[in-house]
């Protein structure tokens, strides 16, 4: 399942270029999150903001925080286990991955009802990310997104 990237190919299957590939070693973030620990959501957003301190515009960083928060929330609310968040940033690309440990692939709803408080996370990712996708990973899956920009 992919977002704006579309088509077949490495990134469409979730195996795109890793952040930091090429000349820039990039910076990374890694967080292990406990089962149903929703207090981790703002912590992940803060850590991501710090990682992106010298990267992208304020708007892009805010989109990154929003999308990461949605994926982390989904993983913690819709699975019975914790999650692992990784983020990598290089000169032009931010890639955020959220791995959970439950079988089954997420399916974004066709559209969220106007007053519905659930079901909007993947629609936001689909709408705002430059690329996104899902791949199975052992027991569970990884939902990822990329934003392309560069240093502020």
């Amino acid at each position: 399942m992919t977002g704006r990237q579309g088509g077949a190919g490495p990134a469409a299957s979730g195996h795109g270029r890793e952040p930091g590939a090429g000349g820039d070693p990039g910076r990374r973030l890694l967080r292990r999150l406990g089962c149903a620990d929703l207090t981790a959501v703002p912590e992940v957003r803060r850590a991501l903001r710090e990682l992106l301190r010298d990267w992208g515009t304020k708007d892009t960083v805010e989109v990154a925080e929003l999308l990461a928060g949605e994926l982390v929330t989904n993983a913690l609310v819709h699975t019975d286990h914790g999650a692992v968040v990784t983020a990598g940033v290089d000169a032009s690309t931010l890639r955020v991955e959220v791995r959970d440990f439950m079988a089954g692939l997420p399916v974004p709803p066709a559209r969220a009802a106007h007053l519905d408080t659930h079901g909007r996370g993947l629609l936001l990712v689909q709408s705002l990310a430059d690329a996104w996708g899902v791949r199975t990973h052992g027991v569970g899956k990884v939902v990822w997104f990329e934003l392309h920009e560069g240093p502020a």
Side-chain angles (χ1 to χ4, degrees):
M1 178 182 318
T2 62
R4 290 185 193 174
Q5 180 133 351
S13 64
H15 302 288
R17 179 181 61 84
E18 290 297 317
D24 183 354
R27 298 177 306 228
R28 303 209 44 86
L29 166 72
L30 172 66
R31 292 286 190 280
R32 292 181 190 349
L33 311 176
C35 179
D37 181 13
L38 293 178
T39 62
V41 176
E43 197 283 323
V44 167
R45 290 174 59 116
R46 277 190 300 276
L48 187 59
R49 186 179 323 117
E50 179 63 24
L51 178 73
L52 301 177
R53 163 179 78 244
D54 299 324
W55 186 91
T57 65
K58 180 182 178 201
D59 289 343
T60 303
V61 172
E62 288 175 355
V63 167
E65 288 182 56
L66 171 68
L67 299 183
E70 291 294 335
L71 293 186
V72 168
T73 300
N74 283 351
L76 296 177
V77 168
H78 298 294
T79 68
D80 294 331
H81 304 283
V84 176
V85 177
T86 58
V89 63
D90 65 17
S92 63
T93 303
L94 164 68
R95 183 177 176 107
V96 175
E97 298 185 347
V98 179
R99 179 180 181 200
D100 67 42
F101 302 94
M102 295 285 292
L105 299 177
V107 177
R111 69 179 198 66
H114 176 67
L115 297 176
D116 195 356
T117 59
H118 298 287
R120 296 174 189 247
L122 284 180
L123 289 175
L124 287 170
V125 173
Q126 188 175 37
S127 298
L128 298 174
D130 291 313
W132 76 282
V134 178
R135 72 176 187 270
T136 57
H137 192 278
V139 176
K141 64 196 155 294
V142 174
V143 182
W144 59 269
F145 71 86
E146 288 184 350
L147 296 175
H148 305 288
E149 189 149 316

